Every structure is written in structure tokens, then in C-alpha cells.
Amino acid sequence: MISTTAEAFRQFRTNLEITSLQESTTSTRQTNVRDAVARDFSVFESFLTGSYRRNTMIAPLNTADIDVFVVLDPKYYTTNNQRALLSAVMGTLKKEYPKTPKIKPDGQAVTITFTDFKVDVVPGFYRTGGGFLIPNANMGRWIPTDPKKHVELWTASNKAHGGSLVPLIKMMKCWNRASGNLFRSFHLEVLVRHVVTDVTIVDFPSGVRWVLDKLRGKVWTKVADPAGYSDDVASYLSKAEADRMIAVLTNAYRSAVAAETYAAAGYVRSAIDEWRSIFGDHFPAYG
């Protein structure tokens, strides 16, 4: 029985969690994928990365991407072979999964679309000076990054917020999905983490409202990779896309303000209806 906004947000937080059975499935699948690549390539190490490793992945699993990072021997590296490398990795995965039709390069990874979820295989190399280099086939260059550093940063920030940052990020990712995936996942995570720096997340309703408000002024901001590299994680945006993001954020912010106003006045059902207009059906209904 959902009769308060606080109860609704507690249930909402639970609704976004991946179940233990789903985690078991993803563990087995990603291990098989890593083993398949290692049979055809000289692999220095491989590890899980992305939202799964940062603990910011949200349910349902069939909308999620599991990111597998594979560090290869530098003998496979040349200055301009980003597309060729992804094609070679794709060929290996097609041998392993001949009955899986949707295996294709996707800019920086090879995506395997299984019936229950996707796996993105990101090949890369150790970078002189630290971090890694990953391919960007669309731009024909190598991108410096460090997904291990991202995990450290997110863990530290979540601890600084008393464990509230990760669930807040998950809630914002649910809003993004309900809004048509306006933001790329990592871009959104970086922005949420940024706009709550040096503020206290008192509760999730006010936290969501704060983030929706502050993100509007950050859409056009160049956002460097938090691991310490200069690449702009927002470089994919066009003006039209950014303008639409700001408009959708503004509408959601107004709904969040209305929800908090309703709740303060004791109109809980109306407050919850407003939150459901922001997050969709993953946010529980009143009653």
C-alpha cells in the first residue's frame, strides 16, 4: 500500500534494482564472451565496466547493456585501424554465437544483442602514462579513457553522499529512458554527479527536482572525461538535440515542483501522479 511520497520513492528505488537471478545470468554470459575473445586474440586482461560495474544499471535487464572491456596485445594496434579492429572482434563473436543475428560494430564497441540483454565488447590497449585507448570508428581515432578510474570516482562520490548518489543516478536514468533516451547514459551520469557536488541529497524528491533544474544549464557545457582526459563526453550532441533536452528537462522540473507542492499540502495522490508523469510506470501508483 503506497500512501506517502516517501513510500513511493522507496518502492521506486527497489523497482530499479537488477535481481540476483539476473546478475547470475549476466555473470555467466559475460564470462563466456570474454573467453571467446581470448581464444582468438592475445588478451592482457578483461573486466566488466560501464554502468554494471558502477552499480548504476537499472531494471529491466532487457533494456540494459553489459560492458566488457578487453585489453589487447599492442600488436593489434595501428594508428588508423579502429574499424578493422572492431570488425575482427565481431568475426570472433559471430563464430562463438552463430545463431545470434544481431552482432555488429557500434562506434566504440561490438554489440551483441541477445534475447534478454545486450553485451558491448570494448577492445582497447594500455595507454602510455596510464589509462587505456579505445577505438572510435566513427571519428577514425583512438580515445583515451579509464573505466577503472570511473568506478573509483563513482564509489567515492556515492560514499560522500551517504549512499544516495547511485540511487539518484538510477532514478534519473529511468527518467531519461521514459523520455526517449535523450542523453547517452555515461553523459547523464557525469552530469548528475557534477550538479550534486558540494550539496547534500536530503531526500530523493528534492534531489530529483534539484538535478532536473541544474541539468538545464549544463546541457551545452563541455564535459571532460572525469578520469582526467580532455574528450568531451557531450560531443555527440547537435543543437536540435540539446534544445530538446532542455525543453524536456524544463517540463519534468515543473512537474517535480508541482509534486513537491502537492505533497506539502497533503495531496499525496496528486503528488504521486506527477512523479509517475516524470518516471513512467516504474514509479509506483498511489494505493
Side-chain angles (χ1 to χ4, degrees):
M1 175 79 177
I2 301 297
S3 59
T4 69
T5 302
E7 290 171 350
F9 269 89
R10 279 195 294 271
Q11 184 60 52
F12 180 40
R13 179 176 177 175
T14 300
N15 291 348
L16 296 177
E17 296 296 328
I18 302 295
T19 68
S20 58
L21 177 61
Q22 290 171 327
E23 287 188 352
S24 176
T25 301
T26 60
S27 177
T28 300
R29 187 78 52 75
Q30 59 87 14
T31 298
N32 292 340
V33 168
R34 289 158 72 175
D35 289 345
V37 176
R39 281 193 286 273
D40 278 6
F41 291 85
S42 177
V43 175
F44 284 0
E45 68 168 313
S46 62
F47 51 89
L48 285 172
T49 183
S51 59
Y52 186 89
R53 190 64 182 82
R54 294 189 300 272
N55 297 313
T56 55
M57 179 178 290
I58 62 172
L61 186 61
N62 62 9
T63 66
D65 296 343
I66 309 296
D67 296 323
V68 174
F69 200 101
V70 183
V71 183
L72 301 176
D73 188 302
K75 68 184 180 182
Y76 303 110
Y77 175 89
T78 62
T79 303
N80 60 354
N81 78 329
Q82 297 86 5
R83 195 174 300 277
L85 178 62
L86 292 176
S87 294
V89 173
M90 178 181 68
T92 287
L93 295 171
K94 283 188 172 182
K95 284 194 303 181
E96 179 69 16
Y97 300 102
K99 296 182 180 180
T100 303
K102 294 183 179 179
I103 301 177
K104 63 178 183 178
D106 187 19
Q108 299 172 14
V110 177
T111 299
I112 314 171
T113 304
F114 295 106
T115 55
D116 44 1
F117 60 91
K118 295 179 181 179
V119 174
D120 287 337
V121 182
V122 184
F125 303 95
Y126 292 126
R127 175 180 175 272
T128 302
F132 305 88
L133 291 174
I134 63 173
N136 186 323
N138 296 330
M139 301 182 70
R141 64 188 182 92
W142 299 96
I143 299 174
T145 189
D146 191 345
K148 291 185 177 182
K149 184 65 175 179
H150 297 153
V151 174
E152 294 175 9
L153 291 170
W154 265 236
T155 300
S157 294
N158 191 49
K159 183 178 180 180
H161 283 287
S164 293
L165 176 61
V166 163
L168 180 60
I169 287 174
K170 289 182 176 182
M171 292 172 188
M172 291 307 304
K173 290 175 79 169
C174 184
W175 161 79
N176 187 46
R177 185 174 62 198
S179 303
N181 290 311
L182 299 172
F183 289 85
R184 290 186 181 177
S185 179
F186 185 63
H187 180 204
L188 180 61
E189 289 194 34
V190 170
L191 289 181
V192 174
R193 177 175 174 266
H194 178 70
V195 300
V196 298
T197 300
D198 298 327
V199 301
T200 300
I201 303 171
V202 177
D203 55 47
F204 292 121
S206 64
V208 169
R209 185 249 306 148
W210 172 273
V211 170
L212 289 168
D213 182 23
K214 300 307 177 185
L215 285 190
R216 294 183 294 170
K218 298 296 182 182
V219 170
W220 272 121
T221 303
K222 180 176 180 179
V223 185
D225 185 321
Y229 302 102
S230 60
D231 264 43
D232 181 8
V233 300
S235 61
Y236 65 95
L237 287 181
S238 68
K239 184 179 185 305
E241 289 170 328
D243 287 345
R244 182 163 180 262
M245 284 178 178
I246 294 169
V248 175
L249 282 165
T250 297
N251 287 336
Y253 167 68
R254 289 170 178 165
S255 291
V257 171
E260 288 191 294
T261 302
Y262 282 132
Y267 300 114
V268 178
R269 184 189 296 271
S270 296
I272 289 176
D273 287 345
E274 288 289 348
W275 289 119
R276 280 173 61 83
S277 76
I278 294 171
F279 295 115
D281 292 341
H282 267 69
F283 196 90
Y286 180 86

